[in-house]
Amino acid sequence: MKIKLEEIIIAPGRSFKLFSPSLRHHFYWHFHPEIELVYVEALSGIRHVGQHISSYVASDLVLIGPNVPHLNFDYGLEVDYKQIVLQLKPDFLPSLVNPTAEFAAIAALMERSYKGLSFHGSTKEAVVTRLRALQEKDAFSSLLGVLDIFQILAHSEEVEVLNQDDTTVKWLLNDKVRMGTIYDYVSENYDKAPDVNVVAEKVHLSTAAFCRYFKRQTNMTFTDFLNQYRISQAKNLLLQGKSAAEVCYEVGFESTSYFNKLFKTLAGQTPAVFKRMHQHQ
């Protein structure tokens, strides 16, 4: 599965697109020149932006810069969810904010967006309220609303930088090997016994070369990636009411003690505490 260039069509007379996509059954590893702001509300899901792979709980608000590869945030969700996506024409914000001194903070935000930015706290609450309101506004009022949203993001300190380096698509396209192929293999086999030798063969590398490539691309080993993916899936299952013992074997672990230990290492709490804290939010 290769990375895809998404062609985004924005309506005539508009500088942006606001919609609620639903792609939960599709692995959509893609990029586009448009700046994108994504809000997703779900029990738990996977966040894969550039080289950053992690999970979110309850909701996520992420700003993704132009040409940064990312996976659809609703991939693999088996429960109800809500999603709002705001996509801006590539030249819209730069042509507006770069020459204008009053928009210096937004211009700086655009420069940082190449690393992927996740917002939380009161910033997320304020922006989500405004995103929902945009759907009811006329063209000019919604334009002002978009600027208001980016002004809030630009001045927020409630932000996590997802990647250490520029993760625009050039780092991916310079390689013949596609992360999508690897991700697809893991998503189909994480609950069985994924074999690093098999996935290396799928991307036409020796096992040793694949391990070096994967570590360079993601800053983690294939085993670490697999474990993180399994724990992300475990969170979803726990929030659906299953016990830790059931979840342990369902996501591919053979030892409940090892599962509990790894879950606490990656999630910061035991499966039981995680379930108790988030199941009824």
Side-chain angles (χ1 to χ4, degrees):
M1 183 177 294
K2 296 183 178 181
I3 189 169
K4 297 179 181 178
L5 169 61
E6 180 182 7
E7 181 180 359
I8 294 173
I9 299 175
I10 295 178
R14 291 278 183 158
S15 299
F16 59 89
K17 178 180 181 180
L18 185 72
F19 66 118
S20 298
S22 180
L23 295 168
R24 72 165 87 194
H25 300 302
H26 300 279
F27 177 94
Y28 193 35
W29 177 234
H30 64 290
F31 69 100
H32 43 72
E34 290 79 7
I35 296 167
E36 180 172 280
L37 182 65
V38 178
Y39 172 70
V40 60
E41 192 174 297
L43 290 176
S44 176
I46 297 168
R47 177 203 293 139
H48 188 172
V49 178
Q51 293 171 291
H52 176 94
I53 305 166
S54 60
S55 60
Y56 62 85
V57 174
S59 65
D60 205 16
L61 178 68
V62 178
L63 180 64
I64 304 169
N67 296 315
V68 174
H70 54 286
L71 183 66
N72 47 306
F73 284 67
D74 59 351
Y75 173 65
L77 294 182
E78 299 296 336
V79 293
D80 291 338
Y81 66 97
K82 299 176 182 177
Q83 187 169 213
I84 304 175
V85 175
L86 175 65
Q87 296 171 331
L88 283 66
K89 283 185 176 180
D91 61 346
F92 165 50
L93 275 181
S95 62
L96 180 64
V97 305
N98 289 343
T100 308
E102 287 79 3
F103 288 140
I106 297 180
L109 176 70
M110 294 301 95
E111 288 299 314
R112 296 162 59 212
S113 71
Y114 289 101
K115 297 183 178 182
L117 304 173
S118 176
F119 295 87
H120 55 271
S122 59
T123 299
K124 180 166 65 175
E125 294 177 7
V127 168
V128 172
T129 298
R130 285 162 174 78
L131 280 173
R132 289 172 174 154
L134 285 182
Q135 299 169 321
E136 309 298 326
K137 296 180 181 292
D138 58 51
F140 183 74
S141 297
S142 61
L143 172 65
L144 296 180
V146 167
L147 292 176
D148 184 33
I149 285 171
F150 277 86
Q151 183 74 346
I152 292 172
L153 296 177
H155 289 280
S156 174
E157 295 182 357
E158 298 174 309
V159 58
E160 176 188 359
V161 180
L162 300 182
N163 292 277
Q164 295 301 310
D165 302 306
D166 183 343
T167 56
T168 50
V169 77
K170 60 189 178 185
W171 68 264
L172 196 73
L173 293 184
N174 286 337
D175 293 282
K176 294 180 180 178
V177 182
R178 300 305 189 210
M179 274 296 297
T181 301
I182 302 166
Y183 213 129
D184 197 32
Y185 174 79
V186 172
S187 69
E188 292 176 359
N189 296 279
Y190 72 90
D191 56 338
K192 306 178 185 71
D195 188 333
V196 67
N197 299 297
V198 173
V199 71
E201 184 177 347
K202 282 181 175 291
V203 294
H204 311 294
L205 288 174
S206 69
T207 300
F210 167 77
C211 291
R212 290 193 297 270
Y213 164 79
F214 194 85
K215 184 67 180 290
R216 185 173 67 248
Q217 293 292 76
T218 66
N219 292 319
M220 66 177 76
T221 66
F222 180 72
T223 299
D224 289 340
F225 173 81
L226 174 61
N227 283 336
Q228 194 165 96
Y229 191 96
R230 282 172 162 170
I231 295 302
S232 293
Q233 296 301 319
K235 290 178 179 179
N236 282 324
L237 295 172
L238 286 168
L239 295 176
Q240 292 173 42
K242 295 190 176 184
S243 69
E246 289 177 304
V247 170
C248 167
Y249 298 112
E250 196 162 331
V251 299
F253 292 105
E254 298 180 352
S255 164
T256 54
S257 60
Y258 177 70
F259 169 70
N260 289 331
K261 181 179 179 180
L262 182 64
F263 192 101
K264 185 173 183 180
T265 298
L266 295 180
Q269 52 199 185
T270 65
V273 171
F274 173 86
K275 183 177 179 179
R276 187 167 61 249
M277 287 183 62
H278 299 289
Q279 189 171 21
H280 302 296
Q281 287 188 359

